[in-house]
Every structure is written in C-alpha cells, then in structure tokens.
Amino acid sequence: MSDTHAQTVAYVRETMLPELEPPATERGVIKWMRENLFAGWFNSILTIFAAYVIYKIVVGALPWFANGIWTTDSLAECREILQGATGGCFSVLTERWNQLLFGFKYPDDQYWRPTLAFVVMLVSIAPVLFSHLPRKMLILTGLFPFVAFWLIWGGTILAPLVALLGFVAAYIAFKKVEHQSFAMGLLAGLITAIVVWFVGGFVSGAASNVLALEPVASRDMGGFMLNMILGTVCVSLSLPIGICLALGRQSDMPIIKWICVVFIEFIRGVPLITLLFVANVVLAYFLPPGTNFDLIVRVIIMITAFSSAYIAEVIRGGLAALPRGQYEAADSLGLDYAQATRLIIMPQALKISIPGIVNVAVGLFKDTTLVSVISMFDLVGMIRGPILASTEWNGVYWELWGFAVFVFFIVCYGISQYSQWLERQLQTDHR
Amino acid sequence: MAEAAQNLHISDEVAIQIDNMNKWYGTFHVLRDINLTVHRGERIVIAGPSGSGKSTLIRCINALEEHQKGSITVDGTLLSSDLKNIDKIRSEVGMVFQHFNLFPHLTILENCTLAPIWVRKTPKKEAEEIAMHFLEKVKIPEQADKYPGQLSGGQQQRVAIARSLCMRPRIMLFDEPTSALDPEMIKEVLDTMVSLAEEGMTMLCVTHEMGFARQVANRVIFMDAGQIVEQNEPEEFFNNPQNERTKLFLSQILGH
C-alpha cells in the first residue's frame, strides 16, 4: 500500500526496462553444483557418501577387468596364471563364443548364416523404426522373414518362396474381392493362400535341392540366436494381434467381444512358464499322432499369445484415454470404422501406449530365457547347461552371467532409448 | 437491408425434415415429438437452457446420436440404421463441435485434407488446394503446417470450420462453437460463421450468442425439456416472446 501512496494513482511508464543477465552465482557450473550436489548439509552428506560408494566399486572391480585373462582353455589354466590375484577368467567367453551365440549343435561351418540374417535384420527393421528412411525399404522388411527363415533353417529356397507367394496371392485376391465386402475379401484371400501353399508344398517337396542350404533342425538352435529369434518373431506378431484384441474387446459385436475378453483374461491369469510347459509337453497330446509340430513354433505361439494379451490391455488403456470427441469428429466427417480406426484412433492410441508396449516388449524379450526351463538351450540354457557343466569351465559364474546380463542389457536399453526418442518425435501437442 | 438480401438464399427445397422424432437415454426422455422442417439456405439458431436437448437434436441429424422413434430425412436420404445412408449423410453434413475435436497428431493441412482424400477419394494435390482455399477463407493459411496444439482456441475452431467445409457440405451443424473460447476469440469465430451464412449455407447453430442470432438467423428455435417450445423470426422472438419459459430464459440471458 505504501508504494501507491508514494506516487500518484495514475502512472504511465515512459521507458521499458531492458533484459539483464542473472547474477554470477546463478550461472554456469557453480550454480549447477550448488543446486544439485550441495544444496543443504543433508544433500552434501549424501553426495559425499555416494561418491565414496562409487569409488569403492570402481576400485574393487577395476583389477578384475584389468587382470582379466582372455586366452586360456580352462578355468584351471586361468587360476594358474593368476596365482591367487584378482582377475576375471574371460577366456570362457572367447573359447565358447560360438556356443554362447549359436548353441552347441548348430553346424560350425554354417555360423555365417545366422550372422548374415542378423545383419539383414538390422537393415530391414530400420525403415520400420525410422520413418524418414525411404519407404521403398519396407519391401525389404516384408521379405525379411522369408529370407531369415531360409538362412537360419536352411533347406530349399522354394519353401519360404512358396510361403511368400501364398501371402502375395492372398493379398491380390483380397484386393480383387474387397469391394464386395471385407469378409468376402478375407475369405477369398484365405482360400487362395491355402491353395497356393498346398500346391507349392508339393513342388518344393519334389524339388528340395533347388538352392538348398544345409538344413538345420529346430532342436539344434540355441544360444543368444534363439533369444533373438523368439524375441523378434514374438514381438512383431504380438503387436498386430494385440491391436486386434484391443479393438475386439471394444467391439459392439458381443461374440467377438467375449472371445477377446475370455482370451485376454485367461492368458493374463496364467504364468508364462506354465504355458511353456504346455507347449512342450501337453500340446503334443492334443495333436493327431505322427504330426511333428515344431517345438520352436509351439513356443512362439505361447509367448505370442501371452504378450499379445498384455499388449491388448496396454492399447485398451490408450484407446480409453482418447476423448470421445475424436471418434465423433471422425464419424462426422464420414470416415468409416476402418478408416477412423486406422487414421485417427490408432495413431493416437498407439502413441499414448508406447511406454506400455515397450515395457511388454522388453519383458517379453527377457522372458525368452524361460525356455531354458523346458530344455531349450538359449543363452541362459547354454550357460546353465553345457558350459557350466563342462569340466573346463565348471565354476566360472561371474564372467558368464555377467556376459548374459551385459548382452540383455544392451538390447533392452537400446529398445527403451529408441522408444523415448520415438515419443519425442511423435510429440505434437506442446511444441 | 442485408437481412432481406440473405433471405433470398432460402429456397423451397427441403434440406432437413424431422417428423415426430423421439429419443431416450435409457429411460430418460430427452427429445419429445420433435417436428422441424429446414429449407435450403435457412440459418437457424437453437437456444434453450442446458439439458434441454438442443445439442442432442443436432447430433441426431448426422447420427452421432441414435433416435428411437420418428424419422429424419436429410437431403432426401432417410436416416436409418443402414451404415451406407449414415456415411452418405455424414459426408454431406458438416459439424463443428464445442471442443473443436481437431486431430492433434495431424497438421492443420492434414486435418483438412484427410476426409476429402479418404471419403471423397480426391487426389491429394487437389485436396490440398481445396484445403488452402478454405484456410484462406477462415484467414489462417499461414498456420497450415502447424499442429492444432500450437494454435489458439479461436484459430482451432476456425480450422475446425475449414475442415468441415473441405468436404463441401450442403448443411453445417454448429454445436456451441464459441462456448469453450476466451471472450476475445469469440468474435473471430462468429465472423467466420457470419460470412458463411452470407454465402447461403444452410446452418443449424446451437449457441448462446444472441447477438449472432439477431444478426444472422432467419429463425430462432427455443427448446426446453426436450421439446420445441417456441420458434419465430429473431426480431419477434427477442422483442415479443410468447411462452413463459422463453420469457424467463430471455430475461435471464439478456438481463445483464
């Protein structure tokens, strides 16, 4: 009040004040350290304590890495060289490198095939992950599953080619009939695909030497390669299935809705490990005798079912977060259900769901190690089984498990970093 | 006078015909025996207290709400549960919402071209030209590449109007288009609507802007408790209301 008394009530500013720099204590490194490390005595104690802990860890771990031995053939040799000094015996990694990556039954001279498949994978998922890459590269993405199958499992190239042809023919048939009705299109596509696969099956069966690579059976797959196969296949299958389930659960058609609800709730109520045991043992009882249903396929089905139920719930959350007005605006412009879902609803719902979806995907990738329980030799299975059980390497725990931790961490951290980058890219509301 | 000139747009052709329309939300009777004929070129303002069913009425016209009894005919197409009819009517009838409902993940231009491209199958280039034409008309062509979140409320609502116009609708519905706006932005939206009216667009407008009603409407409809209580030309409606409910409403809304 006193201020207003000091001057007259009417007041007109004649010169505007210029912008000034903040005082020195509010700038640069000193400010940052004062605010973040030494704000108050309690904060300072915590900072010093944390620095001490970090120092202890570094000092303790450094010699273990520095004295690490990379070239011996067994743990006993390592111990001989070290003579009781601290040091890791990393030679288990170099000596069993191929086993860790490919399992112990994949033919030695064929390692280049999964390696090549891995490189092709990196190239072909790039256009999916980064939208500014040329859209033509998506063709490569579409071809990748077939190429990868041929490279990893081997056999004639005709088998994946026939599979690919079936999909292409189905798509063409669908497009031709689609204008009649969507359901008719699906049916036509399905029939076409089955015919092509049936006929093509005979052809590729008869000519099994055309461009054939040495066939490798599913039970010979192992190592980190198995984790990668399960991870990529299951993630890429469970996302579209999850979207369908989430939409189905919101459907007005009661039968579709209830199928989706029952599926999701059932799968969510069952531990993954039980599903894997079912895949391993029980599923065989339900199949006609003599059918040889590949174990990897069974495991893929179970993991996919599991994660798609979770992804469906995550996406349902995203759908629920969209304001009703978005649906109404799409409707009022005359967009039909498929267009509104594809162009308006899903892009926004998926954007909201990214953190949740990535959470499920990372969890799924790590859960692929559970297959070691049903005697498949993935990375964890290899370490637990053949490597630790061997006489040479019995007792090398830290180095092996540390390696497993490192590999999984790299992949999962990469996924999480990508998702955060993607979220920033898609942010359009507060720019 | 400008008003007389505007009324030249009104033709004998019927744009919307509503007969004995009834609607319930569960057991709540929202709309009761609505009869309404809208001629092409008419500009109708629907007023009434909140909860009187005004919004529900215009949302029934493009089937955002389903009515249970009676019939609605839009541009000669009977509104039934047939999805083909509904989509046809929706592509002929533009709608502007209270909360704009722009698509936040698309740019302004994409918001405007989406429906023409996918529903009308207009080539992208042409759709963009149409969009720019209407964005110029609502006076924000320079914002075409921004996202809705970067625009002010008034600008967003003008984009929403442009988005509807890009479908070349024959009828425009406005559901309280200025109610969510700051006072200084109401005018820019109303100006856009006035110029639209001057071009002869058939308009149904739920609004509390009585000045707009006086200036533009050729008919004001007053609703209460799900019924049309009174309708008249604006001059008569405001100066000489007949129904008690109308008098009370007008005294409350114009009293201060």
Side-chain angles (χ1 to χ4, degrees):
Chain A
M1 288 307 279
S2 58
D3 274 5
T4 44
H5 280 291
Q7 49 199 273
T8 52
V9 176
Y11 171 73
V12 180
R13 186 179 280 289
E14 278 160 354
T15 50
M16 300 305 279
L17 297 177
E19 206 170 291
L20 295 177
E21 276 208 351
T25 49
E26 291 302 311
R27 275 182 284 169
V29 186
I30 299 172
K31 179 197 179 207
W32 185 88
M33 287 193 30
R34 238 200 21 212
E35 275 188 359
N36 294 296
L37 299 178
F38 302 104
W41 60 269
F42 184 66
N43 208 325
S44 306
I45 292 175
L46 283 183
T47 303
I48 293 165
F49 179 70
Y52 176 72
V53 170
I54 293 170
Y55 168 77
K56 271 305 207 187
I57 291 174
V58 170
V59 163
L62 216 54
W64 192 68
F65 284 106
N67 297 339
I69 291 167
W70 293 86
T71 48
T72 56
D73 285 332
S74 71
L75 181 61
E77 281 181 48
C78 273
R79 291 201 169 125
E80 219 163 276
I81 297 174
L82 282 169
Q83 296 290 350
T86 321
C89 184
F90 299 109
S91 20
V92 65
L93 302 179
T94 46
E95 208 245 348
R96 297 294 176 109
W97 179 251
N98 285 326
Q99 286 196 356
L100 288 168
L101 290 192
F102 306 108
F104 65 117
K105 280 196 265 178
Y106 206 91
D108 301 8
D109 53 342
Q110 305 291 327
Y111 286 151
W112 62 273
R113 280 158 45 182
T115 313
L116 181 61
F118 179 72
V119 173
V120 178
M121 181 192 82
L122 292 183
V123 176
S124 49
I125 62 171
V128 180
L129 299 184
F130 304 102
S131 58
H132 54 264
L133 289 175
R135 296 293 82 194
K136 284 231 173 72
M137 279 177 77
L138 281 171
I139 298 172
L140 197 65
T141 316
L143 293 177
F144 172 70
F146 307 98
V147 173
F149 175 83
W150 180 58
L151 280 174
I152 294 175
W153 272 267
T156 169
I157 199 174
L158 287 180
L161 215 56
V162 165
L164 175 63
L165 267 179
F167 280 112
V168 173
Y171 178 74
I172 294 170
F174 170 75
K175 274 283 157 196
K176 281 241 185 310
V177 191
E178 191 198 9
H179 62 91
Q180 288 183 17
S181 87
F182 189 73
M184 284 289 286
L186 278 187
L187 192 68
L190 193 66
I191 292 171
T192 321
I194 289 174
V195 170
V196 170
W197 285 331
F198 191 73
V199 176
F202 279 114
V203 177
S204 67
S208 58
N209 293 324
V210 181
L211 274 176
L213 292 169
E214 181 186 339
V216 182
S218 284
R219 61 176 177 280
D220 295 344
M221 305 286 160
F224 191 62
M225 175 183 74
L226 185 58
N227 296 111
M228 285 298 285
I229 293 174
L230 293 175
T232 36
V233 173
C234 294
V235 168
S236 38
L237 286 180
S238 56
L239 191 57
I241 296 176
I243 291 174
C244 293
L245 284 171
L247 289 173
R249 193 169 182 165
Q250 297 221 319
S251 167
D252 294 332
M253 288 177 272
I255 294 180
I256 290 183
K257 179 176 177 167
W258 284 111
I259 290 175
C260 293
V261 170
V262 168
F263 178 84
I264 292 171
E265 295 303 332
F266 174 74
I267 295 281
R268 288 207 307 164
V270 179
L272 176 59
I273 196 89
T274 2
L275 290 177
L276 290 177
F277 277 121
V278 168
N280 189 23
V281 190
V282 188
L283 215 57
Y285 290 118
F286 292 105
L287 298 167
T291 38
N292 182 16
F293 201 45
D294 197 289
L295 179 60
I296 289 195
V297 176
R298 280 185 267 164
V299 167
I300 284 176
I301 291 175
M302 285 306 181
I303 299 182
T304 305
F306 188 79
S307 54
S308 57
Y310 278 89
I311 287 185
E313 286 299 281
V314 170
I315 294 176
R316 190 167 69 103
L319 288 171
L322 280 194
R324 240 176 83 82
Q326 292 292 310
Y327 293 87
E328 289 177 353
D331 282 349
S332 74
L333 285 169
L335 296 168
D336 62 28
Y337 174 79
Q339 290 168 337
T341 306
R342 203 180 110 212
L343 301 166
I344 309 298
I345 305 305
M346 265 308 145
Q348 296 185 61
L350 286 178
K351 191 179 113 185
I352 301 172
S353 322
I354 288 174
I357 292 174
V358 169
N359 206 9
V360 174
V362 166
L364 177 155
F365 183 64
K366 292 185 295 180
D367 281 352
T368 57
T369 55
L370 284 177
V371 298
S372 64
V373 186
I374 54 168
S375 49
M376 289 172 88
F377 293 99
D378 73 313
L379 182 57
V380 170
M382 280 307 296
I383 295 175
R384 243 164 45 109
I387 298 181
L388 278 179
S390 67
T391 45
E392 296 94 339
W393 302 112
N394 192 348
V396 201
Y397 293 104
W398 279 92
E399 293 81 353
L400 285 169
W401 294 121
F403 174 70
V405 165
F406 178 71
V407 169
F408 276 97
F409 175 77
I410 292 287
V411 176
C412 295
Y413 186 69
I415 296 175
S416 123
Q417 285 299 304
Y418 168 74
S419 84
Q420 286 175 29
W421 175 82
L422 185 65
E423 273 177 68
R424 283 195 299 274
Q425 289 293 303
L426 294 178
Q427 196 175 54
T428 58
D429 25 6
H430 303 293
R431 252 191 263 174
Chain B
M1 224 182 109
E3 202 176 305
Q6 279 171 32
N7 285 342
L8 289 178
H9 289 300
I10 300 174
S11 70
D12 289 339
E13 197 187 333
V14 174
I16 302 169
Q17 176 76 45
I18 302 176
D19 292 315
N20 292 320
M21 195 255 281
N22 280 273
K23 173 169 177 62
W24 288 263
Y25 282 130
T27 54
F28 177 56
H29 201 169
V30 219
L31 293 176
R32 308 177 190 183
D33 273 339
I34 304 287
N35 286 293
L36 180 65
T37 306
V38 180
H39 292 278
R40 187 157 304 294
E42 274 201 285
R43 302 158 312 272
I44 295 177
V45 163
I46 302 172
S50 66
S52 59
K54 347 179 261 300
S55 288
T56 313
L57 170 61
I58 68 165
R59 287 158 62 86
C60 281
I61 293 173
N62 67 351
L64 285 184
E65 304 280 355
E66 224 177 322
H67 61 280
Q68 278 90 29
K69 246 179 89 181
S71 72
I72 302 177
T73 311
V74 181
D75 252 343
T77 311
L78 181 70
L79 195 60
S80 60
S81 56
D82 186 353
L83 282 176
K84 282 218 174 84
N85 276 358
I86 291 181
D87 282 340
K88 180 160 178 270
I89 288 173
R90 280 174 178 167
S91 61
E92 299 295 331
V93 178
M95 176 127 185
V96 176
F97 299 88
Q98 181 178 1
H99 295 289
F100 331 134
N101 296 352
L102 293 177
F103 305 130
H105 62 302
L106 300 176
T107 63
I108 300 305
L109 189 65
E110 288 166 340
N111 263 281
C112 294
T113 55
L114 184 94
I117 289 176
W118 290 92
V119 180
R120 291 254 191 269
K121 315 287 179 207
T122 316
K124 186 166 179 244
K125 194 113 181 53
E126 201 186 320
E128 279 174 359
E129 277 162 20
I130 298 173
M132 286 314 291
H133 168 74
F134 284 111
L135 285 175
E136 262 158 44
K137 219 169 125 175
V138 300
K139 302 195 177 68
I140 30 178
E142 71 281 0
Q143 313 282 8
D145 293 323
K146 289 195 183 166
Y147 286 93
Q150 298 165 280
L151 268 54
S152 74
Q155 289 173 322
Q156 290 194 43
Q157 192 61 296
R158 285 184 282 154
V159 171
I161 294 172
R163 177 176 73 177
S164 290
L165 293 177
C166 283
M167 286 294 280
R168 307 260 184 204
R170 309 183 59 170
I171 300 165
M172 285 289 284
L173 308 174
F174 293 86
D175 187 2
E176 305 204 23
T178 55
S179 302
L181 294 177
D182 291 340
E184 74 264 34
M185 294 173 180
I186 291 178
K187 189 174 176 302
E188 62 188 53
V189 172
L190 288 182
D191 285 347
T192 310
M193 291 167 65
V194 169
S195 75
L196 202 57
E198 281 165 358
E199 285 164 27
M201 174 67 78
T202 312
M203 290 165 66
L204 266 79
C205 188
V206 173
T207 183
H208 297 295
E209 296 295 327
M210 290 305 137
F212 173 77
R214 272 178 201 270
Q215 188 188 353
V216 176
N218 66 301
R219 184 148 52 120
V220 180
I221 290 176
F222 180 74
M223 287 186 72
D224 188 37
Q227 297 154 74
I228 294 180
V229 174
E230 185 165 351
Q231 53 174 317
N232 213 332
E233 287 174 3
E235 281 307 306
E236 276 292 294
F237 178 85
F238 288 113
N239 298 337
N240 190 17
Q242 305 293 318
N243 189 291
E244 284 308 311
R245 291 286 311 154
T246 320
K247 285 179 192 164
L248 181 66
F249 178 77
L250 285 178
S251 72
Q252 280 165 345
I253 201 169
L254 301 174
H256 50 88

